[in-house]
Amino acid sequence: MGKSALKAIALLLALGRRSRQHANWTLSIAVLSTLVTIGLVALYLMRETPEFP
């Protein structure tokens, strides 16, 4: 999950550099909140497994 999160952040930064307008903050916040939600769900699921300390 870490690599995909870094790729998403790099994509947002690349899109922000290419556009000559201001960054689309709505899109940035939506992507960031989606990544946080996926991370929290992953942590919850990992908590249920016996291998996770």
Side-chain angles (χ1 to χ4, degrees), residues 18-32:
R18 279 195 306 194
S19 69
R20 295 179 188 261
Q21 300 171 351
H22 293 296
N24 186 354
W25 290 109
T26 306
L27 177 63
S28 301
I29 291 171
V31 170
L32 189 61

Side-chain angles (χ1 to χ4, degrees), residues 10-51:
L11 177 66
L12 281 177
L13 292 175
L15 287 175
R17 270 188 263 132
R18 279 195 306 194
S19 69
R20 295 179 188 261
Q21 300 171 351
H22 293 296
N24 186 354
W25 290 109
T26 306
L27 177 63
S28 301
I29 291 171
V31 170
L32 189 61
S33 65
T34 301
L35 290 173
V36 169
T37 303
I38 291 171
L40 289 174
V41 168
L43 284 175
Y44 177 76
L45 293 175
M46 288 173 66
R47 184 181 63 107
E48 298 291 325
T49 61
E51 300 92 33

